[in-house]
Amino acid sequence: MRIRTEAADATTQDTISAGSIETFSAPRYSGGVQDGGSGSRFYTGDTIAFLQVVSGTGPALLTFVR
């Protein structure tokens, strides 16, 4: 399976082998912001990655943890 963070930019592409796990981890804010950390890094409706099947069949299992 291929994964991209920008649909039209091949330089953001990586390959996920069968049985592998890919993890996204992002801070809620940039390093210069100091607060209680109550905000979200991603909002409802945001696309954080694009997946493309290279061969075979799925599934691709996704879990979002806030």
Side-chain angles (χ1 to χ4, degrees), residues 1-2 26 42-43 51 53 55 66:
M1 179 171 290
R2 291 187 186 120
F42 304 111
Y43 298 99
L51 302 176
V53 175
S55 66
R66 192 170 287 234

Side-chain angles (χ1 to χ4, degrees), residues 30-48:
S30 65
V33 176
Q34 296 181 4
D35 69 357
S38 59
S40 295
R41 176 72 166 121
F42 304 111
Y43 298 99
T44 301
D46 281 354
T47 300
I48 59 171

